[in-house]
Amino acid sequence: MQLVFLAHVGVFALAAVGCLVSVPRALEIRHPRTRQGMVGLLLSVTLWAGGYVGYLLAPSDWLRAAFYTLGFVFAFVAVAAWFFFCAAYTGRPPERMPYRRLLVGAFLALTALKLFNPYHHLYFTTAWTVEPFPHLAINHGLLYWIVLGLSYAVTAVGFFMLVERFEQTGADSQPLLVLAVVTAVPAVATVIGEQVDWLLPLMYEPPGVAVFSIGTLFVYFRRFEAVQLTGERAEPSVFLDRDGLVRDYNRAAESLFPALAGSVGEPIESTVAPLASRVDDPGVVSVDDDGDGDRYFQIASTAFTSGGVTTGRLVTLTDVTERERYRRRLEEKTEQLEALNRVVRHDIRNDMAVINGWAGTLHEHVDEEGDEALERVLRKSEHVIELTETVRDFVESLSGEAVFEPEPTDLHRHLDTEVAATRETFPEATIRVDGDLPTVTVLASEMLSSVFRNLLENAVRHNDSDAPEVTVSAVDAGDTVRVRIADNGPGVPDEQKETVFGKGEKGLDSPGSGIGLYLVHTLTEGFGGRVWIEDNEPRGAVFVVELPKADDA
């Protein structure tokens, strides 16, 4: 039976040595909690197996019992470390586990019972025997089997978390799964140890843990980390080695790129070419979605280095379909706006130039009364020609093709012109100017006329009074000039005073009074000014435009 004795000593000694030499490798695990769990597991199993070796080789009974108790205690510590490792590896932070304080309390209580077993003998008793070789036999009590059952239950939960993670990764995680299963095989010897003559009633899990640690940390270390990195992400993820070979991927990635199935060890270029082109130059890649149109994904590539050398990359794809489709719709609208701008600038400008030219020849053909009307036609046609150029600048500023630079602009001229034009357009409305308009220059452009025209026309068009009244006033406020356009209409509710300009909405389709007020807001801010709405008394609204004065004002 000497061979059986040596076999027991050898198995546990090799398990202790195997776990101990694996600790430096475990310290290379990048994920902090996973690293702590694995190191704790290896050290506790080292002491567990080492305690059994001491139990078998110790020269006296009390020392044998002490070594056995040491191994017995650290067996329980190993269960806790195993659970901690499994939880951390699978993305479940141990510090957030429910009832963690209760579990820690139960762990400490059971550990204390083990340490004080010589006084209560609830865990085990000892007696000298010669079968299968001379040794201090351990006779387990009821509490031992209860705690063993609880330990197996906790260990099984850890196994379930690992298997779930391995299954979530669509790649070749079978070797890791096999290693996890091998860890559980020695449990069979633990259960039947008291019924088999050549087995001692010990816990035989240390060799399984040693096999698992050596296998994961030395043979399949890259895959071990790749499974964690890819499996913990809901987004499609692919893990590549430094040569660009596929090492792992999750099910989301396989669903998105079916060609990944069975591609472990294959170059990413020959597997998913669109993805390969973006590994070193992250950007947006489009993927056909089987009839639902293209889906768009933002690619992020995270490099992993060791000693300054890149050892692999984690490529993650984030679905940005809605954002990209919206961007493309904006590009399309911008192109349409630019096309409209060209029409305005070219066709309307040319036609107005013709009108202006022919109208200029009519001076000698009209009398004094008609000459005044002709002058108005000429002024308006010149204004439209100027306006087309300003619209060009405005559209180009919106599309990013040019910088919209305000310049000193005559406030009085633009405001007086638009008041007169509004009176002509809406003869049924009363448009009055309160006081004298200040003769100052402000930072704006020829589009300032559009600001005042839109506000004046809005005050009349949206007026529900039988006799619409609009009062225009302007005051010099030092560094700025404030123009107030007040009406006697229905007013603007407080909750709409911001949204009426389309602020915070997606472009020109926002709720409000159409493009006019949106244009007022955009232009005024472009000039460095502000526009807001106040309540008028006794009814109506007041639109206030504040513009910065030019330096030469």
Side-chain angles (χ1 to χ4, degrees), residues 176-219:
L176 297 177
L177 183 59
V178 170
L179 286 172
V181 172
V182 168
T183 307
V185 170
V188 177
T190 300
V191 174
I192 66 173
E194 299 203 13
Q195 284 74 43
V196 178
D197 293 338
W198 49 272
L199 285 177
L200 298 184
L202 302 175
M203 289 183 286
Y204 289 86
E205 285 77 7
V209 175
V211 171
F212 177 79
S213 61
I214 293 174
T216 55
L217 297 177
F218 291 95
V219 182

Side-chain angles (χ1 to χ4, degrees), residues 340-454:
L340 178 60
N341 178 41
R342 287 192 294 271
V343 170
V344 170
R345 286 164 45 209
H346 184 269
D347 296 352
I348 296 179
R349 178 183 172 84
N350 286 351
D351 288 347
M352 289 308 303
V354 172
I355 292 173
N356 186 265
W358 281 104
T361 65
L362 296 178
H363 279 291
E364 58 187 38
H365 301 290
V366 297
D367 54 21
E368 291 183 3
E369 183 177 349
D371 193 58
E372 182 179 351
L374 180 59
E375 284 297 327
R376 290 182 180 178
V377 171
L378 289 172
R379 284 199 303 271
K380 282 294 183 181
S381 62
E382 290 171 357
H383 178 66
V384 170
I385 293 172
E386 293 175 358
L387 199 58
T388 58
E389 291 300 316
T390 306
V391 168
R392 178 202 63 192
D393 295 337
F394 175 64
V395 172
E396 289 180 352
S397 72
L398 291 179
S399 62
E401 294 182 3
V403 179
F404 196 58
E405 291 289 348
E407 59 185 9
T409 304
D410 187 345
L411 173 73
H412 186 282
R413 177 174 65 85
H414 286 283
L415 186 53
D416 187 61
T417 299
E418 293 308 323
V419 167
T422 306
R423 285 171 175 161
E424 290 184 6
T425 305
F426 302 98
E428 73 281 5
T430 300
I431 314 293
R432 66 170 62 93
V433 176
D434 185 10
D436 295 329
L437 298 177
T439 305
V440 296
T441 56
V442 295
L443 289 177
S445 71
E446 289 301 311
M447 287 295 284
L448 183 59
S449 294
S450 181
V451 171
F452 296 141
R453 180 171 60 256
N454 277 287

